[in-house]
Amino acid sequence: MMIIMKSNATPQQVETAIHAVKAAGLNVHLSQGVEATIIGAIGETHNIPTEIFEGLDGVETVQRITQPYKLASRQFHPENSVFPIDGFQVGGNDIVVVAGPCSVESRSQIIETAQAVREAGANALRGGVFKPRTSPYSFQGLGEEGLEYLAEARELTGMPIVVEIMSQTQLEVMLKYVDVLQVGARNMQNFNLLRAIGETRKSVLLKRGLSATIEELLMSAEYILAGGNKQVILCERGIRTFETATRNTTDINAIPVLKNLTHLPVLLDPSHSTGHADYVAAIARAAVAAGADGLIVEVHPDPARAVSDGKQSLKPEKFAEMVRQVKAIAEVMGRRIAPIKKPVTVGW
Amino acid sequence: MMIIMKSNATPQQVETAIHAVKAAGLNVHLSQGVEATIIGAIGETHNIPTEIFEGLDGVETVQRITQPYKLASRQFHPENSVFPIDGFQVGGNDIVVVAGPCSVESRSQIIETAQAVREAGANALRGGVFKPRTSPYSFQGLGEEGLEYLAEARELTGMPIVVEIMSQTQLEVMLKYVDVLQVGARNMQNFNLLRAIGETRKSVLLKRGLSATIEELLMSAEYILAGGNKQVILCERGIRTFETATRNTTDINAIPVLKNLTHLPVLLDPSHSTGHADYVAAIARAAVAAGADGLIVEVHPDPARAVSDGKQSLKPEKFAEMVRQVKAIAEVMGRRIAPIKKPVTVGW
Amino acid sequence: MMIIMKSNATPQQVETAIHAVKAAGLNVHLSQGVEATIIGAIGETHNIPTEIFEGLDGVETVQRITQPYKLASRQFHPENSVFPIDGFQVGGNDIVVVAGPCSVESRSQIIETAQAVREAGANALRGGVFKPRTSPYSFQGLGEEGLEYLAEARELTGMPIVVEIMSQTQLEVMLKYVDVLQVGARNMQNFNLLRAIGETRKSVLLKRGLSATIEELLMSAEYILAGGNKQVILCERGIRTFETATRNTTDINAIPVLKNLTHLPVLLDPSHSTGHADYVAAIARAAVAAGADGLIVEVHPDPARAVSDGKQSLKPEKFAEMVRQVKAIAEVMGRRIAPIKKPVTVGW
Amino acid sequence: MMIIMKSNATPQQVETAIHAVKAAGLNVHLSQGVEATIIGAIGETHNIPTEIFEGLDGVETVQRITQPYKLASRQFHPENSVFPIDGFQVGGNDIVVVAGPCSVESRSQIIETAQAVREAGANALRGGVFKPRTSPYSFQGLGEEGLEYLAEARELTGMPIVVEIMSQTQLEVMLKYVDVLQVGARNMQNFNLLRAIGETRKSVLLKRGLSATIEELLMSAEYILAGGNKQVILCERGIRTFETATRNTTDINAIPVLKNLTHLPVLLDPSHSTGHADYVAAIARAAVAAGADGLIVEVHPDPARAVSDGKQSLKPEKFAEMVRQVKAIAEVMGRRIAPIKKPVTVGW
């Protein structure tokens, strides 16, 4: 960490800052330039907030040299994190394709969708039962009833289920049913929720907040990892920018940047990152070409009748076409779509 | 609401869309241009999500004519909402000045600060006890112990206390102590929390999310209002943009825009919106000149030793100077800073 | 175009607005809802600015139904625009790869680079001679001397040259030397320059401004097309957002969106859109997977000694590796990299 | 400047970087931490681009300690720059109010407007004759004819005129007529134009680009100052963000930040920064309260008939009301609106 003093800082102020660095358990390396005095703070700094120095009199700015996270960092964990999700591996050579509707609307809807996406090549099923809706007047989800339908769909198709959790009060019921807890964009910095999930040993799909930096996403992962839960999957889902032609702006750069900075698996959600069914396949291909470890895609048997996100949901046949294209890109990248586990039930 | 059909939409698709509008309880007004067919959906639309039409085949886009909120709208409630906060009124002619440290750090720190800000002219006290921190390694707040210190500071100074709530699991203990529940930027779309607060009758200070639109802020207020809690105060605290010279970008436009769109009181937080103590007074003056109903400002007796936000915290004497300047601007605007309630305890 | 009146607009104001619509040569379709009166303006509207109605009393807002551009629109020109650049075609099935240094620094540097990129598979050469530099103290380019070196490199390698023009005062000298005029991001809305280029019949590579919307990019293309110059190539080069991990944010969504909205060829510049050599290949692959018609990439024989953009420039061997990867993705997409034209000079 | 080496940089790479620093005429201060080696580059660095070090192998990042501009910096010129604009001073204690239509439309329109704004208290007249328009189909301005009308209005009212220049080809005719050259947001980084203006001794109003950082604005000012033209006035006019409730987001923080960083006068344009006549007065008051040295405001005698920007133009009576409010705020700030110079012509 470098503490850059103002050009008119007094020797007394420099002294105080040096004292603060030492009090934080760091060594001091002083550098007196013509333009400014810089105090290098040397040692284990990832868990020391810059703000403890920023408020000191005479300090112009404080700059980190190293990352403010450690458990999520590839520097301290050079190998990819690979872990199993009920039958396949995430983070390794295989590409994961999670698919399903925005909301679970009914038993028949989710079972029909599950069978369709499985047939098309998906290896996990998504579906929301507690919905974060901008308007209090919108459909808020089926709750536990929806979880039961999802569990039934899992029985029938053999696909693990990925479901969004909105609050730590939902943790108990979610743990009972789901294979992967999804933390949505609006909750990426719900630190109480992150800490609660860190205490479990359930896999987590952590979505980037719509105005969160890549570093903040990794800091949120660090919250979960710090609790001892190592199974964190990151997900780029588009950021908010000035461009209005699409719902969000897919930050495709985030894929290689994250693969460089962290050992955690990285997925991309082209449904939310574009907001438009017509653009989903192109961005899904781009994600895998850029090095993503998987995709999470909204599919609905009848988007025109979806209670939410119909505009960005693929029909099953369009999804099947997307999977074929993604498969071809994956092969060029020396990867493959994770094979589908055999269903456990007979008669399907 | 207007449903704009694609230029190549079939008569069948137009028919289906018309059917969907009627099924939503709305009347249809059809307009066939050379370029496009437009279906006007006429009736009570504020609680109908556009997405139920957006997924229909042949639909290009759906545009709202009226606001998607009603309880928060000035159209349905032309008079300013004015309500009491333990001794003074918010939303009326008086300007409210909330001040205090980012975090409650100790009994002496909060009591010293409370006395200093009161003397300088503040009429309410802020202080965090549950802290949303980007890093799991940062100080996370004193919890209930901090609430007790705040309550003691209230006893001594007569100022009501404003404290951030991060989760509905904290609601019970917060209701026991605080006068105003603060919902922070990161929780502006924590809908479970908003709904829980809507069930109470406690005043709320709802801060705008750092990438939330003004409309989304009003939708979040609608969540609370829909539960029957009418005492919602809005707060602009800076948005995230490309500019890095300041911590956030103060959206000063939001002040007149919000005063136009809603009847709810609007405050501004110049500490977070600038991130730098040197700029707080200028933006505080600007806020009141633009029509804000109050300010919430970070003050610390010794910013250099603050455990959080030291860089943007004012020393008490700088805060007193800011209050003097704001008072002068308020007078030009035909307003005044809300008078301080007499303390209830003797001997101070 | 739809003119939405305020809910309290007077009949007189509606009348005036109707009159204005008719005066603009459009037909009126009136729709009186409970919430608002809407005046549909029907006819040829792409060349009518919304602002002529926005200032009218009683008007709430004006919304376009159709695009404000016509010549650039795929609606009026459904087939891809395909045109020749000295030996190969752009906009058709072939992928174009433009490569070269940020700045032409010397004769040997540009010739060495040209030979290296050609060998690696590039089919056109880029190189700046008039440099838009943020600082007046930075290297500003070699000017016409640089153009002569570029022309020599073209002679030797057979590759056409793409050079940025910064001002209409440079047009004459540029036309003498270059095959494709590049309009840089900072000049995307230099309308005098666009108009001057529209008068020529030289191919143009029009880069998106760093905070320009996709619609504004197409409006700038319209300026050139309106002058009769049909050979416009669009280029996404990253937009400015809050994310600082990369120099810009690659708007990969822009590729399928542009291919949908316009018939013009679309390239991507992964060097500027990431700002970092390590991420260029991943984003180049993503671009082609998303449907781009080509790439423009910065390559320098010795990035450590480049006078500009060294951080984002590929070494020739890294570029060659990138071309191999892009080629494989292109094949999956049913495309190929445009074959290299035979050089005209002997002895190389 | 600090060159931060990658944690795995080789001694050889550190050596090369040290060599590069010395070659740039700077002294080296080496700091070897546990986490990283940092090379302090000490000396006169404002005119050395960071990129000459960024491309070196083993370099992680390069950070400036001091500003990349010097002539614009308050550090090297602590006193405010104050200079005369035909009868009044800008940058001193007086507040300047520039007002007039977006476009000069006719002789009568500009003369009527000039007289109205002067009566209301404006001290300079604005009006565009070469218009940067997003669409090639929009009105592009009256050209020199417009300049003649403006000159006539100056004669009649005694107010100096401020006119936008779009290209260095217009410089000659502009110098003949105008008192202040305005460089618009889209041309803030038209470096050829800036350089050409730097060669003149005409006052300049330099508007911030809609996605330009404050530092980039100051770098553009540096271009003009470097040519010897010291009369540069800066203007905040709103930046592009995700918020769509207003045309742009007024970056009010830029006012105190600029007043801190530079000695140049700073104006604010509330017409463009809000895009809506209803919000102009509030933001004008805020600007002066935040410390701005003046305002530039769009006024039109009949906004409903304005050929451009009608929505954001004030009617003269609204403008007069705004001036009264701004005057009251100015007084609180210990300032006054610059007195109007007596007109030179009789009979008005």
Side-chain angles (χ1 to χ4, degrees), chain D residues 138-152:
Chain D
S138 295
F139 174 65
Q140 312 271 331
L142 289 184
E144 189 165 359
E145 183 189 346
L147 288 170
E148 275 164 18
Y149 299 152
L150 280 164
E152 194 179 343

mmCIF file with all atom_site columns, all heavy atoms in Angstrom, chain D residues 138-152:
data_model
loop_
_atom_site.group_PDB
_atom_site.id
_atom_site.type_symbol
_atom_site.label_atom_id
_atom_site.label_alt_id
_atom_site.label_comp_id
_atom_site.label_asym_id
_atom_site.label_entity_id
_atom_site.label_seq_id
_atom_site.pdbx_PDB_ins_code
_atom_site.Cartn_x
_atom_site.Cartn_y
_atom_site.Cartn_z
_atom_site.occupancy
_atom_site.B_iso_or_equiv
_atom_site.pdbx_formal_charge
_atom_site.auth_seq_id
_atom_site.auth_comp_id
_atom_site.auth_asym_id
_atom_site.auth_atom_id
_atom_site.pdbx_PDB_model_num
ATOM 1   N N   . SER D 1 138 ? -31.280 17.418 -39.682 1.00 0.00 ? 138 SER D N   1
ATOM 2   C CA  . SER D 1 138 ? -31.693 18.538 -38.837 1.00 0.00 ? 138 SER D CA  1
ATOM 3   C C   . SER D 1 138 ? -31.084 19.849 -39.329 1.00 0.00 ? 138 SER D C   1
ATOM 4   O O   . SER D 1 138 ? -30.085 19.859 -40.040 1.00 0.00 ? 138 SER D O   1
ATOM 5   C CB  . SER D 1 138 ? -31.236 18.287 -37.389 1.00 0.00 ? 138 SER D CB  1
ATOM 6   O OG  . SER D 1 138 ? -31.902 17.176 -36.848 1.00 0.00 ? 138 SER D OG  1
ATOM 7   N N   . PHE D 1 139 ? -31.674 20.948 -38.890 1.00 0.00 ? 139 PHE D N   1
ATOM 8   C CA  . PHE D 1 139 ? -31.207 22.300 -39.190 1.00 0.00 ? 139 PHE D CA  1
ATOM 9   C C   . PHE D 1 139 ? -29.746 22.468 -38.768 1.00 0.00 ? 139 PHE D C   1
ATOM 10  O O   . PHE D 1 139 ? -29.387 22.155 -37.642 1.00 0.00 ? 139 PHE D O   1
ATOM 11  C CB  . PHE D 1 139 ? -32.100 23.288 -38.436 1.00 0.00 ? 139 PHE D CB  1
ATOM 12  C CG  . PHE D 1 139 ? -31.671 24.734 -38.533 1.00 0.00 ? 139 PHE D CG  1
ATOM 13  C CD1 . PHE D 1 139 ? -31.692 25.412 -39.751 1.00 0.00 ? 139 PHE D CD1 1
ATOM 14  C CD2 . PHE D 1 139 ? -31.271 25.428 -37.394 1.00 0.00 ? 139 PHE D CD2 1
ATOM 15  C CE1 . PHE D 1 139 ? -31.311 26.747 -39.824 1.00 0.00 ? 139 PHE D CE1 1
ATOM 16  C CE2 . PHE D 1 139 ? -30.893 26.769 -37.462 1.00 0.00 ? 139 PHE D CE2 1
ATOM 17  C CZ  . PHE D 1 139 ? -30.921 27.427 -38.682 1.00 0.00 ? 139 PHE D CZ  1
ATOM 18  N N   . GLN D 1 140 ? -28.888 22.936 -39.686 1.00 0.00 ? 140 GLN D N   1
ATOM 19  C CA  . GLN D 1 140 ? -27.458 22.974 -39.403 1.00 0.00 ? 140 GLN D CA  1
ATOM 20  C C   . GLN D 1 140 ? -26.918 24.379 -39.124 1.00 0.00 ? 140 GLN D C   1
ATOM 21  O O   . GLN D 1 140 ? -25.709 24.577 -39.016 1.00 0.00 ? 140 GLN D O   1
ATOM 22  C CB  . GLN D 1 140 ? -26.676 22.314 -40.564 1.00 0.00 ? 140 GLN D CB  1
ATOM 23  C CG  . GLN D 1 140 ? -27.210 20.953 -41.030 1.00 0.00 ? 140 GLN D CG  1
ATOM 24  C CD  . GLN D 1 140 ? -26.617 19.737 -40.286 1.00 0.00 ? 140 GLN D CD  1
ATOM 25  O OE1 . GLN D 1 140 ? -25.490 19.798 -39.819 1.00 0.00 ? 140 GLN D OE1 1
ATOM 26  N NE2 . GLN D 1 140 ? -27.385 18.666 -40.165 1.00 0.00 ? 140 GLN D NE2 1
ATOM 27  N N   . GLY D 1 141 ? -27.791 25.347 -39.018 1.00 0.00 ? 141 GLY D N   1
ATOM 28  C CA  . GLY D 1 141 ? -27.345 26.693 -38.644 1.00 0.00 ? 141 GLY D CA  1
ATOM 29  C C   . GLY D 1 141 ? -27.259 27.652 -39.823 1.00 0.00 ? 141 GLY D C   1
ATOM 30  O O   . GLY D 1 141 ? -27.158 27.237 -40.971 1.00 0.00 ? 141 GLY D O   1
ATOM 31  N N   . LEU D 1 142 ? -27.276 28.956 -39.485 1.00 0.00 ? 142 LEU D N   1
ATOM 32  C CA  . LEU D 1 142 ? -27.299 30.002 -40.519 1.00 0.00 ? 142 LEU D CA  1
ATOM 33  C C   . LEU D 1 142 ? -25.914 30.383 -41.028 1.00 0.00 ? 142 LEU D C   1
ATOM 34  O O   . LEU D 1 142 ? -25.792 31.136 -41.983 1.00 0.00 ? 142 LEU D O   1
ATOM 35  C CB  . LEU D 1 142 ? -27.965 31.273 -39.975 1.00 0.00 ? 142 LEU D CB  1
ATOM 36  C CG  . LEU D 1 142 ? -29.471 31.259 -39.731 1.00 0.00 ? 142 LEU D CG  1
ATOM 37  C CD1 . LEU D 1 142 ? -29.916 32.651 -39.287 1.00 0.00 ? 142 LEU D CD1 1
ATOM 38  C CD2 . LEU D 1 142 ? -30.226 30.855 -41.002 1.00 0.00 ? 142 LEU D CD2 1
ATOM 39  N N   . GLY D 1 143 ? -24.853 29.924 -40.355 1.00 0.00 ? 143 GLY D N   1
ATOM 40  C CA  . GLY D 1 143 ? -23.509 30.286 -40.791 1.00 0.00 ? 143 GLY D CA  1
ATOM 41  C C   . GLY D 1 143 ? -23.229 31.778 -40.614 1.00 0.00 ? 143 GLY D C   1
ATOM 42  O O   . GLY D 1 143 ? -23.723 32.395 -39.670 1.00 0.00 ? 143 GLY D O   1
ATOM 43  N N   . GLU D 1 144 ? -22.450 32.350 -41.555 1.00 0.00 ? 144 GLU D N   1
ATOM 44  C CA  . GLU D 1 144 ? -21.997 33.734 -41.368 1.00 0.00 ? 144 GLU D CA  1
ATOM 45  C C   . GLU D 1 144 ? -23.154 34.722 -41.255 1.00 0.00 ? 144 GLU D C   1
ATOM 46  O O   . GLU D 1 144 ? -23.066 35.710 -40.520 1.00 0.00 ? 144 GLU D O   1
ATOM 47  C CB  . GLU D 1 144 ? -21.052 34.153 -42.512 1.00 0.00 ? 144 GLU D CB  1
ATOM 48  C CG  . GLU D 1 144 ? -20.402 35.505 -42.235 1.00 0.00 ? 144 GLU D CG  1
ATOM 49  C CD  . GLU D 1 144 ? -19.200 35.803 -43.132 1.00 0.00 ? 144 GLU D CD  1
ATOM 50  O OE1 . GLU D 1 144 ? -18.846 34.938 -43.970 1.00 0.00 ? 144 GLU D OE1 1
ATOM 51  O OE2 . GLU D 1 144 ? -18.611 36.890 -42.993 1.00 0.00 ? 144 GLU D OE2 1
ATOM 52  N N   . GLU D 1 145 ? -24.248 34.430 -41.938 1.00 0.00 ? 145 GLU D N   1
ATOM 53  C CA  . GLU D 1 145 ? -25.434 35.296 -41.815 1.00 0.00 ? 145 GLU D CA  1
ATOM 54  C C   . GLU D 1 145 ? -25.822 35.438 -40.335 1.00 0.00 ? 145 GLU D C   1
ATOM 55  O O   . GLU D 1 145 ? -26.119 36.529 -39.845 1.00 0.00 ? 145 GLU D O   1
ATOM 56  C CB  . GLU D 1 145 ? -26.590 34.665 -42.618 1.00 0.00 ? 145 GLU D CB  1
ATOM 57  C CG  . GLU D 1 145 ? -27.844 35.500 -42.637 1.00 0.00 ? 145 GLU D CG  1
ATOM 58  C CD  . GLU D 1 145 ? -29.032 34.732 -43.245 1.00 0.00 ? 145 GLU D CD  1
ATOM 59  O OE1 . GLU D 1 145 ? -28.795 33.670 -43.888 1.00 0.00 ? 145 GLU D OE1 1
ATOM 60  O OE2 . GLU D 1 145 ? -30.183 35.155 -43.050 1.00 0.00 ? 145 GLU D OE2 1
ATOM 61  N N   . GLY D 1 146 ? -25.765 34.315 -39.617 1.00 0.00 ? 146 GLY D N   1
ATOM 62  C CA  . GLY D 1 146 ? -26.089 34.331 -38.188 1.00 0.00 ? 146 GLY D CA  1
ATOM 63  C C   . GLY D 1 146 ? -25.111 35.183 -37.396 1.00 0.00 ? 146 GLY D C   1
ATOM 64  O O   . GLY D 1 146 ? -25.505 35.882 -36.445 1.00 0.00 ? 146 GLY D O   1
ATOM 65  N N   . LEU D 1 147 ? -23.845 35.123 -37.791 1.00 0.00 ? 147 LEU D N   1
ATOM 66  C CA  . LEU D 1 147 ? -22.833 35.929 -37.093 1.00 0.00 ? 147 LEU D CA  1
ATOM 67  C C   . LEU D 1 147 ? -23.128 37.420 -37.247 1.00 0.00 ? 147 LEU D C   1
ATOM 68  O O   . LEU D 1 147 ? -22.928 38.214 -36.327 1.00 0.00 ? 147 LEU D O   1
ATOM 69  C CB  . LEU D 1 147 ? -21.440 35.606 -37.626 1.00 0.00 ? 147 LEU D CB  1
ATOM 70  C CG  . LEU D 1 147 ? -20.905 34.231 -37.221 1.00 0.00 ? 147 LEU D CG  1
ATOM 71  C CD1 . LEU D 1 147 ? -19.622 33.906 -37.992 1.00 0.00 ? 147 LEU D CD1 1
ATOM 72  C CD2 . LEU D 1 147 ? -20.663 34.156 -35.725 1.00 0.00 ? 147 LEU D CD2 1
ATOM 73  N N   . GLU D 1 148 ? -23.615 37.787 -38.418 1.00 0.00 ? 148 GLU D N   1
ATOM 74  C CA  . GLU D 1 148 ? -23.942 39.197 -38.635 1.00 0.00 ? 148 GLU D CA  1
ATOM 75  C C   . GLU D 1 148 ? -25.095 39.659 -37.749 1.00 0.00 ? 148 GLU D C   1
ATOM 76  O O   . GLU D 1 148 ? -25.066 40.748 -37.178 1.00 0.00 ? 148 GLU D O   1
ATOM 77  C CB  . GLU D 1 148 ? -24.266 39.442 -40.113 1.00 0.00 ? 148 GLU D CB  1
ATOM 78  C CG  . GLU D 1 148 ? -22.985 39.684 -40.898 1.00 0.00 ? 148 GLU D CG  1
ATOM 79  C CD  . GLU D 1 148 ? -23.176 39.547 -42.413 1.00 0.00 ? 148 GLU D CD  1
ATOM 80  O OE1 . GLU D 1 148 ? -24.337 39.599 -42.888 1.00 0.00 ? 148 GLU D OE1 1
ATOM 81  O OE2 . GLU D 1 148 ? -22.150 39.375 -43.118 1.00 0.00 ? 148 GLU D OE2 1
ATOM 82  N N   . TYR D 1 149 ? -26.082 38.805 -37.620 1.00 0.00 ? 149 TYR D N   1
ATOM 83  C CA  . TYR D 1 149 ? -27.212 39.158 -36.741 1.00 0.00 ? 149 TYR D CA  1
ATOM 84  C C   . TYR D 1 149 ? -26.736 39.287 -35.302 1.00 0.00 ? 149 TYR D C   1
ATOM 85  O O   . TYR D 1 149 ? -27.162 40.162 -34.556 1.00 0.00 ? 149 TYR D O   1
ATOM 86  C CB  . TYR D 1 149 ? -28.315 38.103 -36.831 1.00 0.00 ? 149 TYR D CB  1
ATOM 87  C CG  . TYR D 1 149 ? -28.906 37.936 -38.196 1.00 0.00 ? 149 TYR D CG  1
ATOM 88  C CD1 . TYR D 1 149 ? -29.462 36.720 -38.596 1.00 0.00 ? 149 TYR D CD1 1
ATOM 89  C CD2 . TYR D 1 149 ? -28.951 38.991 -39.124 1.00 0.00 ? 149 TYR D CD2 1
ATOM 90  C CE1 . TYR D 1 149 ? -30.029 36.543 -39.843 1.00 0.00 ? 149 TYR D CE1 1
ATOM 91  C CE2 . TYR D 1 149 ? -29.508 38.829 -40.379 1.00 0.00 ? 149 TYR D CE2 1
ATOM 92  C CZ  . TYR D 1 149 ? -30.047 37.603 -40.736 1.00 0.00 ? 149 TYR D CZ  1
ATOM 93  O OH  . TYR D 1 149 ? -30.601 37.439 -41.981 1.00 0.00 ? 149 TYR D OH  1
ATOM 94  N N   . LEU D 1 150 ? -25.831 38.350 -34.903 1.00 0.00 ? 150 LEU D N   1
ATOM 95  C CA  . LEU D 1 150 ? -25.304 38.409 -33.535 1.00 0.00 ? 150 LEU D CA  1
ATOM 96  C C   . LEU D 1 150 ? -24.532 39.706 -33.298 1.00 0.00 ? 150 LEU D C   1
ATOM 97  O O   . LEU D 1 150 ? -24.660 40.340 -32.240 1.00 0.00 ? 150 LEU D O   1
ATOM 98  C CB  . LEU D 1 150 ? -24.391 37.198 -33.269 1.00 0.00 ? 150 LEU D CB  1
ATOM 99  C CG  . LEU D 1 150 ? -25.120 35.892 -32.941 1.00 0.00 ? 150 LEU D CG  1
ATOM 100 C CD1 . LEU D 1 150 ? -24.174 34.703 -33.090 1.00 0.00 ? 150 LEU D CD1 1
ATOM 101 C CD2 . LEU D 1 150 ? -25.701 35.915 -31.524 1.00 0.00 ? 150 LEU D CD2 1
ATOM 102 N N   . ALA D 1 151 ? -23.741 40.103 -34.295 1.00 0.00 ? 151 ALA D N   1
ATOM 103 C CA  . ALA D 1 151 ? -22.964 41.338 -34.170 1.00 0.00 ? 151 ALA D CA  1
ATOM 104 C C   . ALA D 1 151 ? -23.893 42.530 -34.028 1.00 0.00 ? 151 ALA D C   1
ATOM 105 O O   . ALA D 1 151 ? -23.641 43.452 -33.237 1.00 0.00 ? 151 ALA D O   1
ATOM 106 C CB  . ALA D 1 151 ? -22.044 41.496 -35.376 1.00 0.00 ? 151 ALA D CB  1
ATOM 107 N N   . GLU D 1 152 ? -24.981 42.453 -34.749 1.00 0.00 ? 152 GLU D N   1
ATOM 108 C CA  . GLU D 1 152 ? -25.963 43.548 -34.662 1.00 0.00 ? 152 GLU D CA  1
ATOM 109 C C   . GLU D 1 152 ? -26.590 43.577 -33.255 1.00 0.00 ? 152 GLU D C   1
ATOM 110 O O   . GLU D 1 152 ? -26.776 44.641 -32.660 1.00 0.00 ? 152 GLU D O   1
ATOM 111 C CB  . GLU D 1 152 ? -27.022 43.350 -35.744 1.00 0.00 ? 152 GLU D CB  1
ATOM 112 C CG  . GLU D 1 152 ? -27.863 44.594 -35.951 1.00 0.00 ? 152 GLU D CG  1
ATOM 113 C CD  . GLU D 1 152 ? -28.910 44.398 -37.048 1.00 0.00 ? 152 GLU D CD  1
ATOM 114 O OE1 . GLU D 1 152 ? -28.761 43.439 -37.853 1.00 0.00 ? 152 GLU D OE1 1
ATOM 115 O OE2 . GLU D 1 152 ? -29.877 45.185 -37.078 1.00 0.00 ? 152 GLU D OE2 1
#
